[in-house]
Amino acid sequence: MPLHLHNSLTRRLEPFEPLDPHRVTVYACGPTVYNHVHIGNWSLSLVSDVFVRWLRESGYTVVYVQNITDVEDKIIRDAQAAGEDRATFTKHWADKYLKGMDALGNTAQVDHFPRATDYVHGMVAMIQTLLDSGHAYYADDGSIYFRIASFPTYGELANLDRSMLKAGASGRIKDDEYDKEAVGDFALWKGYVETDGEVYWSPTFTIDGKGLLVKGRPGWHIECSVMSTALLGPSIDVHLGGEDLLFPHHQNEIAQSEAALGKRPFVKYWLHHKHLLVNGAKMSKSKGNFFTLQDLFDRYGKKVAPAFRLLITSGHYRKSLDFTFGGLEAAQKTLHNLGEARERFAKAAGGEEPSDFGAEATAAFTAAMDDDLNSSEALAAVHKLVSEANRLNQDGALAPGQAAAAVALLDKADRVFGLMLSAGTRELTPAQQATVDARAKARSDKDWAEADRLRDVLAAEGILVKDSKDGQAISFA
């Protein structure tokens, strides 16, 4: 069957029919950059990456946007604590995030990484439209709020009872984040307070026919609506996010976008990723089970990145996955075995074209991924074929065409899951290439100690260097 997705909006499995068959638009909520991103956030990024990879593998042309939130309450608080201005502070953490994206192999799939502060002008324009149409109002605290009573379908995404949704029932909501049970008019533009320091803009809004300068900054929800519509248009195909964002963030995106743009639906398919558990519990620093990607790299080196990818993406995105270090180490062994199998089969294939040996497994892989990204079933099909090919190989009965078919399915899985099974599917980052070049120069200068040091630096990132009379040969662990 064709691709089917579980749509959070309708709460059912639906065939995937993009708004434009020639151009699929995808938006994923990215990080708020004020510290290291924890592995739960990375799990969403990886699931989004595999989804886009599968769309492209299936022949779709995709435009994929993942935002970076660089103005928000926590950012202001932590930038002030660090004694830095907002721009310097967020650049540091955004750069850390993008390096993590590189290490995980995610960056190449993303077409745009918009920063919220680059779109403030568009946010002001959308808020003005909402003011003009009666969906928003200026309040006595200096903020501009969305009037939820003006939007009849508010609560639809979260399946909330409309009788609960009285405008201002729990007071206006000015904080960027608030309890899921809190229902009230939410801030589109947050009036300036002294604790904001130097973080503010001073646009003039037309309110009741008069121009009024409203010093302040955008609310969190309006940021995603404006970045999405600016880059993808007023209606998009797929919006991805963690289950914690379904309400209020995604519900608020729908309300303000559809109210301002007059197009419904704002998003055709909503996909929500289940929380990642760690050692059987929700991540918490007090429980000692709160980890960042850097924690994994400190423990295993950057070469653990493909294993982390495999561990996270091998489970279904709508089911909670329990991260453990034992599970991560098992994933490392699985990847090692798959990589060795691919190398073994490639030699046995000898350049032969694939036979129909892998047809059933390939069909099972495709059917599983088309069934709401059932990645565990898809990978099970790969393991089944690899086991059969290994058995034939041990018996001396693996034909070249059969070996080539096994390689073809492994390479398909590699493209979809980004497992970096062979050197041909992985490239050096610019920084890694610079280290390789520096090591070549150290060898040329006969600085053997430096050459050995740089070899160890590369090895920690899963890059193996072998020296020969022809120079350095690069492979991946």
Side-chain angles (χ1 to χ4, degrees), residues 7-27:
N7 190 350
S8 298
L9 183 63
T10 61
R11 289 168 285 283
R12 65 173 181 261
L13 197 68
E14 297 179 351
F16 180 61
E17 298 172 350
L19 297 165
D20 179 350
H22 304 295
R23 179 177 180 267
V24 177
T25 50
V26 179
Y27 185 92

Side-chain angles (χ1 to χ4, degrees), residues 42-43 45-53 100-109 293 296-297 303-315 321 323 328 331-332 335 375 379 413-420:
W42 280 118
S43 67
S45 181
L46 287 168
V47 166
S48 301
D49 179 77
V50 169
F51 173 61
V52 172
R53 285 171 180 263
M101 288 285 284
D102 281 342
L104 289 173
N106 285 0
T107 307
Q109 301 302 320
L293 188 61
L296 305 189
F297 290 166
K303 62 185 178 183
V304 79
F308 180 61
R309 283 191 69 100
L310 176 61
L311 177 61
I312 295 300
T313 60
S314 61
L321 176 73
F323 173 91
L328 183 60
Q332 285 182 297
L335 273 179
S375 53
L379 288 168
D414 205 346
R415 291 191 300 273
V416 173
F417 289 94
L419 304 178
M420 309 174 197

Side-chain angles (χ1 to χ4, degrees), residues 168-322:
S170 58
R172 300 187 186 104
I173 305 299
K174 189 174 181 181
D175 290 342
D176 285 327
E177 297 184 60
Y178 47 92
D179 292 338
K180 293 181 182 180
E181 292 76 16
V183 178
D185 297 347
F186 58 89
L188 299 165
W189 188 264
K190 303 175 68 171
Y192 180 81
V193 293
E194 287 188 10
T195 53
D196 289 342
E198 298 301 313
V199 181
Y200 64 86
W201 287 259
S202 300
T204 297
F205 291 96
T206 300
I207 299 171
D208 297 330
K210 298 180 181 179
L212 180 67
L213 187 150
V214 185
K215 183 178 177 180
R217 58 189 172 88
W220 174 37
H221 312 298
I222 197 71
E223 296 176 0
C224 283
S225 286
V226 170
M227 287 184 281
S228 170
T229 56
L231 292 167
L232 299 175
S235 293
I236 64 174
D237 291 303
V238 183
H239 196 312
L240 301 118
E243 62 177 342
D244 57 319
L245 299 180
L246 191 149
F247 183 83
H249 182 52
H250 290 161
Q251 181 63 75
N252 291 352
E253 278 189 66
I254 291 174
Q256 63 203 10
S257 300
E258 293 184 1
L261 302 170
K263 287 186 70 72
R264 179 175 167 84
F266 165 51
V267 175
K268 190 171 182 181
Y269 302 92
W270 288 90
L271 272 62
H272 287 96
H273 177 249
K274 199 78 172 173
H275 280 308
L276 180 72
L277 301 178
V278 178
N279 296 324
K282 187 176 179 180
M283 270 192 295
S284 168
K285 290 181 179 177
S286 63
K287 294 178 181 177
N289 68 343
F290 185 96
F291 300 109
T292 69
L293 188 61
Q294 189 59 50
D295 290 328
L296 305 189
F297 290 166
D298 289 344
R299 185 164 179 162
Y300 297 102
K302 289 186 178 179
K303 62 185 178 183
V304 79
F308 180 61
R309 283 191 69 100
L310 176 61
L311 177 61
I312 295 300
T313 60
S314 61
H316 196 283
Y317 75 95
R318 287 194 296 112
K319 296 180 180 178
S320 289
L321 176 73
D322 188 13

Side-chain angles (χ1 to χ4, degrees), residues 43 54 71 77 89 105 123-126 128 169 179 190 206 222 266 280 284 316 329 356 360 424 434-435 450 463:
S43 67
W54 181 241
V71 57
R77 178 198 67 197
F89 180 78
M123 296 172 201
V124 170
M126 182 175 281
Q128 184 63 62
D179 292 338
K190 303 175 68 171
T206 300
I222 197 71
F266 165 51
S284 168
H316 196 283
E329 290 161 9
D356 62 0
E360 183 178 343
T435 304
E450 178 65 2
I463 302 162

